[in-house]
Coordinates of all heavy atoms in Angstrom, one line a residue:
M12 N 154.3 117.6 59.4 CA 153.1 118.0 60.0 C 152.2 116.7 60.1 O 152.2 115.9 59.2 CB 152.4 119.1 59.1 CG 151.1 119.4 59.7 SD 150.4 120.9 58.9 CE 150.4 122.0 60.2
V13 N 151.5 116.6 61.2 CA 150.6 115.5 61.4 C 149.3 115.7 60.6 O 148.7 116.8 60.6 CB 150.3 115.4 62.9 CG1 149.4 114.3 63.2 CG2 151.6 115.2 63.7
E14 N 148.9 114.6 60.0 CA 147.6 114.7 59.3 C 146.5 114.5 60.2 O 146.5 113.8 61.2 CB 147.6 113.5 58.2 CG 148.6 113.6 57.1 CD 148.3 114.8 56.2 OE1 147.1 115.1 55.9 OE2 149.3 115.5 55.8
K15 N 145.4 115.3 60.0 CA 144.2 115.3 60.9 C 143.7 113.9 61.0 O 143.4 113.4 62.2 CB 143.2 116.2 60.3 CG 141.9 116.3 61.2 CD 141.0 117.3 60.6 CE 139.7 117.4 61.4 NZ 138.8 118.4 60.8
G16 N 143.5 113.2 60.0 CA 143.0 111.8 60.0 C 143.8 110.9 60.8 O 143.3 110.0 61.5
E17 N 145.1 111.0 60.6 CA 146.0 110.1 61.4 C 145.9 110.4 62.9 O 145.9 109.5 63.7 CB 147.4 110.4 60.9 CG 148.5 109.5 61.6 CD 149.9 109.9 61.1 OE1 150.1 110.8 60.3 OE2 150.8 109.2 61.5
L18 N 145.9 111.6 63.3 CA 145.8 112.0 64.7 C 144.4 111.6 65.3 O 144.4 111.0 66.4 CB 145.9 113.5 64.8 CG 146.0 114.1 66.3 CD1 147.1 113.4 67.1 CD2 146.1 115.6 66.2
L19 N 143.3 111.8 64.5 CA 142.0 111.4 65.0 C 141.9 109.9 65.1 O 141.3 109.3 66.1 CB 140.9 111.9 64.1 CG 140.7 113.4 64.2 CD1 139.6 113.9 63.2 CD2 140.4 113.9 65.6
G20 N 142.6 109.1 64.2 CA 142.6 107.7 64.2 C 143.3 107.2 65.5 O 142.9 106.2 66.1
A21 N 144.5 107.8 65.8 CA 145.2 107.5 66.9 C 144.5 107.7 68.2 O 144.5 106.9 69.2 CB 146.6 108.1 66.9
L22 N 143.8 108.8 68.3 CA 143.0 109.2 69.5 C 141.9 108.2 69.6 O 141.6 107.7 70.7 CB 142.5 110.6 69.3 CG 141.6 111.1 70.5 CD1 142.4 111.1 71.8 CD2 141.0 112.5 70.1
G23 N 141.2 107.8 68.6 CA 140.2 106.9 68.6 C 140.6 105.5 69.1 O 140.0 104.8 69.9
A24 N 141.8 105.1 68.6 CA 142.3 103.8 68.9 C 142.7 103.8 70.4 O 142.5 102.8 71.1 CB 143.6 103.5 68.1
R25 N 143.2 104.9 70.9 CA 143.5 105.0 72.3 C 142.2 104.9 73.2 O 142.3 104.2 74.2 CB 144.2 106.4 72.6 CG 144.5 106.7 74.0 CD 145.6 105.7 74.6 NE 145.9 106.1 76.0 CZ 146.2 105.2 76.9 NH1 146.4 104.0 76.6 NH2 146.5 105.7 78.1
L26 N 141.2 105.6 72.8 CA 140.0 105.5 73.6 C 139.4 104.1 73.5 O 139.0 103.5 74.6 CB 138.9 106.5 73.0 CG 137.6 106.5 73.8 CD1 137.7 106.8 75.2 CD2 136.6 107.5 73.1
R27 N 139.5 103.5 72.4 CA 139.0 102.1 72.2 C 139.8 101.1 73.1 O 139.2 100.3 73.8 CB 139.0 101.6 70.8 CG 138.5 100.2 70.7 CD 138.6 99.7 69.2 NE 137.7 100.4 68.4 CZ 138.0 101.2 67.4 NH1 139.3 101.3 67.0 NH2 137.1 101.9 66.7
S28 N 141.1 101.3 73.2 CA 141.9 100.4 74.0 C 141.7 100.6 75.5 O 141.6 99.6 76.2 CB 143.4 100.6 73.6 OG 143.9 101.8 74.2
L29 N 141.4 101.8 75.9 CA 141.1 102.1 77.3 C 139.7 101.5 77.6 O 139.5 100.9 78.7 CB 141.1 103.6 77.6 CG 142.5 104.2 77.6 CD1 142.3 105.7 77.6 CD2 143.4 103.7 78.7
R30 N 138.8 101.6 76.7 CA 137.4 101.1 77.0 C 137.5 99.6 77.0 O 136.9 99.0 78.0 CB 136.5 101.6 75.9 CG 135.1 101.0 76.0 CD 134.2 101.4 74.9 NE 134.6 101.0 73.5 CZ 134.6 99.8 73.0 NH1 134.1 98.8 73.7 NH2 135.0 99.6 71.7
T31 N 138.1 98.9 76.1 CA 138.1 97.5 76.1 C 139.0 97.0 77.3 O 138.6 95.9 77.9 CB 138.7 96.9 74.8 OG1 140.0 97.4 74.5 CG2 137.7 97.3 73.6
A32 N 140.0 97.7 77.7 CA 140.8 97.2 78.8 C 139.9 97.3 80.1 O 140.1 96.5 81.1 CB 142.0 98.1 79.0
A33 N 139.0 98.2 80.1 CA 138.1 98.4 81.3 C 136.9 97.4 81.2 O 136.1 97.3 82.1 CB 137.5 99.8 81.3
G34 N 136.9 96.7 80.1 CA 135.8 95.7 80.0 C 134.4 96.2 79.7 O 133.4 95.6 80.0
L35 N 134.4 97.4 79.0 CA 133.2 98.1 78.8 C 132.8 98.1 77.3 O 133.7 98.1 76.4 CB 133.3 99.6 79.2 CG 133.5 99.9 80.7 CD1 133.8 101.4 80.8 CD2 132.4 99.4 81.5
S36 N 131.5 97.9 77.0 CA 131.0 98.1 75.7 C 130.9 99.5 75.4 O 130.9 100.4 76.3 CB 129.7 97.4 75.5 OG 128.7 98.2 76.2
I37 N 130.7 99.9 74.1 CA 130.5 101.3 73.7 C 129.3 101.8 74.5 O 129.3 103.0 75.0 CB 130.3 101.5 72.2 CG1 131.7 101.2 71.5 CG2 129.8 102.8 71.8 CD1 131.6 101.3 70.0
E38 N 128.2 101.0 74.5 CA 127.0 101.5 75.2 C 127.2 101.7 76.7 O 126.7 102.7 77.2 CB 125.9 100.4 75.0 CG 125.4 100.4 73.5 CD 126.3 99.6 72.6 OE1 127.3 98.9 73.1 OE2 126.2 99.7 71.4
E39 N 128.0 100.8 77.3 CA 128.2 101.0 78.8 C 129.1 102.3 79.0 O 128.7 103.0 79.9 CB 129.0 99.8 79.3 CG 128.1 98.5 79.4 CD 128.9 97.3 79.7 OE1 130.1 97.2 79.2 OE2 128.4 96.4 80.3
L40 N 130.1 102.5 78.2 CA 130.9 103.7 78.4 C 130.0 105.0 78.1 O 130.1 105.9 78.9 CB 132.1 103.7 77.5 CG 132.9 105.0 77.5 CD1 133.4 105.3 79.0 CD2 134.1 104.9 76.6
A41 N 129.2 104.9 77.1 CA 128.3 106.1 76.8 C 127.4 106.4 77.9 O 127.2 107.5 78.3 CB 127.5 105.8 75.5
S42 N 126.8 105.3 78.6 CA 125.9 105.5 79.7 C 126.7 106.2 80.9 O 126.2 107.1 81.5 CB 125.4 104.2 80.1 OG 124.6 104.3 81.3
R43 N 127.9 105.7 81.1 CA 128.7 106.3 82.2 C 129.1 107.7 81.9 O 129.2 108.5 82.8 CB 130.0 105.4 82.5 CG 129.7 104.1 83.1 CD 131.0 103.4 83.2 NE 130.8 102.1 83.9 CZ 131.8 101.4 84.5 NH1 133.0 101.9 84.6 NH2 131.5 100.3 85.1
A44 N 129.3 108.0 80.6 CA 129.8 109.3 80.2 C 128.7 110.2 79.9 O 128.9 111.4 79.6 CB 130.7 109.1 78.9
E45 N 127.4 109.8 80.1 CA 126.3 110.6 79.9 C 126.3 111.2 78.5 O 126.1 112.4 78.3 CB 126.1 111.7 81.0 CG 125.9 111.1 82.3 CD 125.8 112.1 83.4 OE1 125.9 113.3 83.1 OE2 125.7 111.7 84.6
T46 N 126.5 110.4 77.5 CA 126.5 110.8 76.1 C 125.9 109.6 75.3 O 125.7 108.5 75.8 CB 127.9 111.2 75.6 OG1 127.8 111.8 74.3 CG2 128.9 110.0 75.5
H47 N 125.7 109.8 74.0 CA 125.2 108.8 73.1 C 126.3 107.9 72.6 O 127.4 108.3 72.4 CB 124.4 109.5 72.0 CG 123.5 108.5 71.3 ND1 123.9 107.6 70.3 CD2 122.2 108.2 71.5 CE1 122.9 106.9 69.9 NE2 121.8 107.2 70.6
S48 N 125.9 106.6 72.5 CA 126.9 105.6 72.0 C 127.5 106.0 70.6 O 128.6 105.7 70.3 CB 126.3 104.2 72.0 OG 125.2 104.2 71.1
S49 N 126.7 106.7 69.8 CA 127.1 107.1 68.5 C 128.3 108.1 68.6 O 129.2 108.1 67.8 CB 126.0 107.7 67.6 OG 125.6 108.9 68.2
N50 N 128.3 108.9 69.6 CA 129.4 109.8 69.9 C 130.7 109.0 70.2 O 131.8 109.3 69.6 CB 129.2 110.8 71.0 CG 128.1 111.8 70.6 OD1 127.9 112.2 69.5 ND2 127.3 112.2 71.6
I51 N 130.6 108.0 71.1 CA 131.8 107.2 71.4 C 132.3 106.5 70.2 O 133.5 106.5 69.9 CB 131.4 106.3 72.6 CG1 131.0 107.0 73.8 CG2 132.7 105.4 72.9 CD1 132.0 107.9 74.5
G52 N 131.4 105.9 69.5 CA 131.8 105.1 68.3 C 132.4 105.9 67.2 O 133.4 105.6 66.6
A53 N 131.9 107.2 67.0 CA 132.5 108.0 66.0 C 133.9 108.5 66.4 O 134.8 108.6 65.5 CB 131.6 109.3 65.8
I54 N 134.1 108.7 67.7 CA 135.5 109.1 68.2 C 136.4 108.0 67.9 O 137.5 108.1 67.5 CB 135.4 109.6 69.6 CG1 134.6 110.9 69.8 CG2 136.8 109.8 70.1 CD1 134.3 111.3 71.2
E55 N 136.0 106.8 68.3 CA 136.8 105.6 68.2 C 137.2 105.3 66.8 O 138.3 104.8 66.5 CB 136.1 104.3 68.9 CG 136.1 104.4 70.4 CD 135.6 103.1 71.0 OE1 135.3 102.1 70.3 OE2 135.6 103.0 72.2
R56 N 136.3 105.6 65.9 CA 136.6 105.3 64.4 C 137.3 106.5 63.8 O 137.7 106.4 62.6 CB 135.3 105.1 63.7 CG 134.6 103.8 64.0 CD 133.3 103.6 63.1 NE 132.4 104.6 63.2 CZ 131.3 104.7 64.1 NH1 131.2 103.8 65.0 NH2 130.5 105.7 64.0
G57 N 137.6 107.5 64.5 CA 138.3 108.6 64.0 C 137.5 109.5 63.1 O 138.0 110.3 62.3
E58 N 136.2 109.4 63.2 CA 135.3 110.2 62.4 C 134.9 111.5 63.0 O 134.3 112.3 62.3 CB 134.0 109.4 62.1 CG 134.3 108.1 61.4 CD 133.0 107.2 61.3 OE1 132.0 107.5 61.9 OE2 133.1 106.2 60.6
R59 N 135.2 111.7 64.2 CA 134.8 113.0 64.9 C 136.0 113.6 65.5 O 136.9 113.0 66.0 CB 133.8 112.6 66.0 CG 133.3 113.8 66.7 CD 131.9 113.6 67.3 NE 130.9 113.4 66.3 CZ 129.8 112.7 66.5 NH1 129.6 112.2 67.7 NH2 128.9 112.5 65.5
N60 N 136.0 115.0 65.4 CA 137.1 115.8 65.9 C 136.6 116.3 67.3 O 135.9 117.4 67.3 CB 137.5 116.9 65.0 CG 138.7 117.7 65.4 OD1 139.3 117.4 66.4 ND2 139.0 118.7 64.7
P61 N 136.8 115.6 68.4 CA 136.1 115.9 69.6 C 136.7 117.2 70.3 O 138.0 117.4 70.2 CB 136.3 114.7 70.5 CG 137.5 114.1 69.9 CD 137.6 114.4 68.5
T62 N 135.9 117.9 71.0 CA 136.4 119.0 71.8 C 137.0 118.4 73.1 O 136.8 117.2 73.4 CB 135.3 120.0 72.2 OG1 134.3 119.3 73.0 CG2 134.6 120.6 71.0
V63 N 137.7 119.2 73.8 CA 138.2 118.8 75.1 C 137.1 118.3 76.0 O 137.1 117.3 76.7 CB 139.1 119.9 75.8 CG1 139.4 119.5 77.2 CG2 140.3 120.1 75.0
F64 N 136.0 119.1 76.0 CA 134.8 118.8 76.8 C 134.2 117.4 76.4 O 133.9 116.6 77.3 CB 133.7 119.9 76.7 CG 132.5 119.5 77.5 CD1 132.5 119.7 78.9 CD2 131.4 119.1 76.9 CE1 131.4 119.4 79.7 CE2 130.2 118.8 77.7 CZ 130.3 119.0 79.0
M65 N 134.2 117.2 75.1 CA 133.7 115.9 74.6 C 134.6 114.7 75.1 O 134.1 113.6 75.4 CB 133.6 115.9 73.1 CG 132.3 115.8 72.5 SD 132.4 116.1 70.7 CE 131.8 114.5 70.1
L66 N 135.9 114.9 75.1 CA 136.8 113.9 75.6 C 136.7 113.7 77.1 O 137.0 112.6 77.6 CB 138.2 114.2 75.1 CG 138.5 114.0 73.7 CD1 139.9 114.5 73.3 CD2 138.3 112.6 73.2
A67 N 136.4 114.7 77.8 CA 136.3 114.6 79.3 C 135.2 113.7 79.7 O 135.3 113.1 80.8 CB 136.1 116.0 79.9
R68 N 134.2 113.6 78.9 CA 133.0 112.7 79.3 C 133.5 111.2 79.3 O 133.3 110.6 80.3 CB 131.9 112.9 78.3 CG 131.2 114.3 78.7 CD 130.0 114.5 77.7 NE 129.3 115.6 78.2 CZ 128.0 115.6 78.3 NH1 127.2 114.6 78.1 NH2 127.4 116.7 78.8
P69 N 134.0 110.7 78.2 CA 134.4 109.3 78.3 C 135.6 109.1 79.3 O 135.6 108.0 79.9 CB 134.9 109.0 76.9 CG 135.0 110.2 76.1 CD 134.1 111.2 76.8
A70 N 136.4 110.1 79.5 CA 137.5 110.0 80.5 C 136.9 109.8 81.8 O 137.3 108.8 82.6 CB 138.4 111.2 80.5
S71 N 135.8 110.5 82.1 CA 135.1 110.4 83.4 C 134.4 109.0 83.5 O 134.5 108.3 84.5 CB 134.1 111.5 83.5 OG 133.3 111.3 84.7
G72 N 133.8 108.6 82.4 CA 133.2 107.3 82.4 C 134.2 106.1 82.6 O 133.8 105.1 83.1
L73 N 135.4 106.4 82.2 CA 136.5 105.4 82.4 C 137.2 105.5 83.8 O 138.1 104.8 84.1 CB 137.5 105.5 81.3 CG 137.1 105.1 79.9 CD1 138.1 105.6 78.9 CD2 137.0 103.6 79.8
E74 N 136.8 106.6 84.5 CA 137.4 106.9 85.8 C 138.9 107.2 85.5 O 139.8 106.7 86.3 CB 137.2 105.8 86.8 CG 135.7 105.7 87.2 CD 135.4 104.6 88.2 OE1 136.4 104.0 88.7 OE2 134.3 104.5 88.6
A75 N 139.2 107.9 84.5 CA 140.6 108.2 84.1 C 140.6 109.7 83.9 O 139.6 110.4 83.7 CB 140.9 107.6 82.8
D76 N 141.8 110.3 84.0 CA 141.9 111.7 83.7 C 142.1 111.9 82.2 O 142.4 111.0 81.5 CB 143.0 112.4 84.5 CG 144.4 111.8 84.3 OD1 144.6 111.2 83.2 OD2 145.3 111.9 85.2
L77 N 141.8 113.2 81.8 CA 141.9 113.5 80.4 C 143.2 113.2 79.8 O 143.4 112.7 78.7 CB 141.5 115.0 80.2 CG 141.3 115.5 78.8 CD1 140.3 114.6 78.0 CD2 141.0 116.9 78.8
A78 N 144.3 113.4 80.6 CA 145.7 113.2 80.1 C 145.9 111.7 79.7 O 146.6 111.4 78.7 CB 146.7 113.6 81.1
T79 N 145.2 110.8 80.4 CA 145.4 109.4 80.1 C 144.7 109.1 78.8 O 145.3 108.3 77.9 CB 144.7 108.6 81.2 OG1 145.4 108.8 82.4 CG2 144.7 107.1 80.9
V80 N 143.6 109.7 78.5 CA 142.9 109.5 77.2 C 143.6 110.0 76.1 O 143.7 109.4 75.0 CB 141.4 110.1 77.3 CG1 140.7 110.0 75.9 CG2 140.6 109.4 78.4
V81 N 144.3 111.2 76.2 CA 144.9 111.8 75.1 C 146.4 111.4 75.0 O 147.1 111.9 74.1 CB 144.8 113.3 75.0 CG1 143.3 113.7 74.9 CG2 145.4 114.0 76.3
D82 N 146.9 110.6 75.8 CA 148.3 110.1 75.8 C 148.5 109.1 74.7 O 148.3 107.9 74.8 CB 148.7 109.5 77.1 CG 150.2 109.1 77.1 OD1 150.9 109.4 76.2 OD2 150.6 108.5 78.2
L83 N 148.8 109.7 73.5 CA 148.9 108.8 72.3 C 150.2 108.0 72.3 O 150.4 107.2 71.4 CB 148.8 109.6 71.0 CG 147.5 110.4 70.9 CD1 147.4 111.2 69.6 CD2 146.3 109.6 71.1
R84 N 151.1 108.3 73.2 CA 152.4 107.5 73.3 C 152.1 106.1 73.9 O 152.8 105.2 73.7 CB 153.4 108.2 74.1 CG 153.9 109.5 73.4 CD 154.7 110.3 74.3 NE 153.9 110.7 75.4 CZ 154.3 111.5 76.5 NH1 155.6 111.8 76.5 NH2 153.5 111.8 77.4
A85 N 151.0 106.1 74.8 CA 150.7 104.8 75.4 C 149.9 103.9 74.4 O 149.3 104.4 73.5 CB 149.8 105.1 76.6
A86 N 150.1 102.7 74.6 CA 149.4 101.7 73.7 C 148.9 100.5 74.6 O 149.4 100.3 75.7 CB 150.4 101.2 72.7
A87 N 148.0 99.8 74.0 CA 147.4 98.7 74.7 C 148.3 97.4 74.6 O 148.0 96.4 75.1 CB 146.0 98.3 74.1
T88 N 149.4 97.6 73.8 CA 150.3 96.4 73.6 C 151.4 96.5 74.7 O 151.7 97.5 75.3 CB 151.0 96.5 72.2 OG1 151.7 97.8 72.2 CG2 150.0 96.4 71.1
P89 N 152.1 95.3 74.9 CA 153.1 95.2 75.9 C 154.2 96.2 75.6 O 154.4 96.6 74.4 CB 153.6 93.8 75.8 CG 152.6 93.0 75.1 CD 151.8 94.0 74.3
K90 N 155.0 96.6 76.6 CA 156.0 97.6 76.5 C 157.0 97.3 75.4 O 157.4 98.1 74.6 CB 156.8 97.8 77.8 CG 156.0 98.6 78.8 CD 156.9 98.9 80.0 CE 156.1 99.7 81.0 NZ 156.9 100.0 82.2
H91 N 157.4 96.0 75.3 CA 158.4 95.6 74.3 C 157.9 95.7 72.9 O 158.7 95.8 71.9 CB 158.9 94.2 74.6 CG 157.9 93.1 74.3 ND1 157.0 92.8 75.3 CD2 157.6 92.4 73.3 CE1 156.2 91.8 74.8 NE2 156.6 91.5 73.6
A92 N 156.6 95.8 72.7 CA 156.0 95.8 71.4 C 155.5 97.2 71.0 O 155.0 97.4 69.9 CB 154.8 94.8 71.3
R93 N 155.6 98.2 71.9 CA 155.2 99.5 71.7 C 155.9 100.2 70.5 O 157.1 100.1 70.5 CB 155.3 100.4 72.9 CG 154.2 100.1 73.9 CD 154.3 101.1 75.0 NE 153.3 100.6 76.0 CZ 153.2 101.1 77.2 NH1 154.0 102.0 77.6 NH2 152.3 100.7 78.1
R94 N 155.2 100.8 69.7 CA 155.8 101.6 68.6 C 155.2 102.9 68.5 O 154.0 103.0 68.4 CB 155.6 100.8 67.3 CG 156.9 100.5 66.6 CD 156.7 99.8 65.3 NE 156.7 100.8 64.2 CZ 156.0 100.7 63.1 NH1 155.2 99.6 62.9 NH2 156.1 101.6 62.2
Q95 N 155.9 103.9 68.4 CA 155.4 105.3 68.3 C 155.0 105.5 66.9 O 155.9 105.4 66.0 CB 156.5 106.3 68.8 CG 156.0 107.8 68.6 CD 154.9 108.1 69.5 OE1 154.7 107.6 70.6 NE2 154.0 108.9 69.0
P96 N 153.8 105.9 66.6 CA 153.4 106.2 65.2 C 154.2 107.4 64.7 O 154.4 108.4 65.5 CB 151.9 106.6 65.3 CG 151.5 105.9 66.5 CD 152.6 105.9 67.5
P97 N 154.8 107.4 63.6 CA 155.7 108.5 63.1 C 154.9 109.8 63.1 O 153.8 109.9 62.6 CB 156.1 108.0 61.7 CG 155.1 107.0 61.3 CD 154.6 106.4 62.5
G98 N 155.6 110.8 63.6 CA 155.1 112.2 63.5 C 154.0 112.6 64.4 O 153.5 113.7 64.4
L99 N 153.5 111.7 65.3 CA 152.4 112.1 66.2 C 152.9 112.9 67.4 O 152.4 114.0 67.6 CB 151.6 110.9 66.7 CG 150.7 110.2 65.7 CD1 150.0 109.1 66.3 CD2 149.7 111.2 65.1
L100 N 153.8 112.4 68.1 CA 154.4 113.2 69.3 C 155.8 113.0 69.4 O 156.4 111.9 69.0 CB 153.7 112.6 70.6 CG 152.2 112.8 70.8 CD1 151.8 112.1 72.0 CD2 152.0 114.3 70.9
P101 N 156.5 114.0 69.8 CA 158.0 113.8 70.0 C 158.3 112.9 71.1 O 157.5 112.8 72.1 CB 158.5 115.3 70.3 CG 157.3 116.0 70.8 CD 156.1 115.3 70.1
K102 N 159.4 112.2 71.0 CA 159.8 111.3 72.1 C 160.4 112.0 73.3 O 160.9 113.1 73.2 CB 160.8 110.3 71.6 CG 160.1 109.3 70.7 CD 161.2 108.3 70.3 CE 160.4 107.3 69.4 NZ 161.2 106.2 69.1

């Protein structure tokens, strides 16, 4: 079984990687997502268990679909260096 903290940490890391790849600060993404920067920061740190609606906001701010944000198999590292965290998603 997947631990809640592990899953939230992976989700936060995914959001952070998409945000930084887009060249946005937390504040810029929050403005685009029409939410407070503390919400984005808490999700990125794995401190918040966001609802689907809460995740849809930063997805919109990134001009990405929700599936892209929650795709924990994707990583910001090159393909040859990608490693699936154990137990998060089946291959």
Side-chain angles (χ1 to χ4, degrees):
M12 178 172 246
V13 178
E14 294 293 322
K15 182 178 178 179
E17 183 181 3
L18 186 58
L19 293 177
L22 179 61
R25 175 67 176 151
L26 180 59
R27 181 180 294 118
S28 72
L29 291 169
R30 177 182 58 75
T31 57
L35 297 173
S36 69
I37 289 176
E38 292 77 14
E39 290 168 326
L40 178 56
S42 177
R43 289 180 177 202
E45 298 179 0
T46 190
H47 197 274
S48 59
S49 64
N50 292 326
I51 302 295
I54 294 169
E55 287 188 0
R56 291 187 302 274
E58 297 173 353
R59 184 157 293 154
N60 187 3
T62 64
V63 171
F64 180 75
M65 242 172 120
L66 288 174
R68 286 179 172 230
S71 175
L73 291 166
E74 297 181 358
D76 57 27
L77 186 57
T79 299
V80 174
V81 299
D82 184 2
L83 303 182
R84 296 171 294 178
T88 56
K90 284 185 180 182
H91 69 276
R93 286 187 183 167
R94 234 180 99 209
Q95 177 65 35
L99 285 182
L100 292 174
K102 291 185 177 186

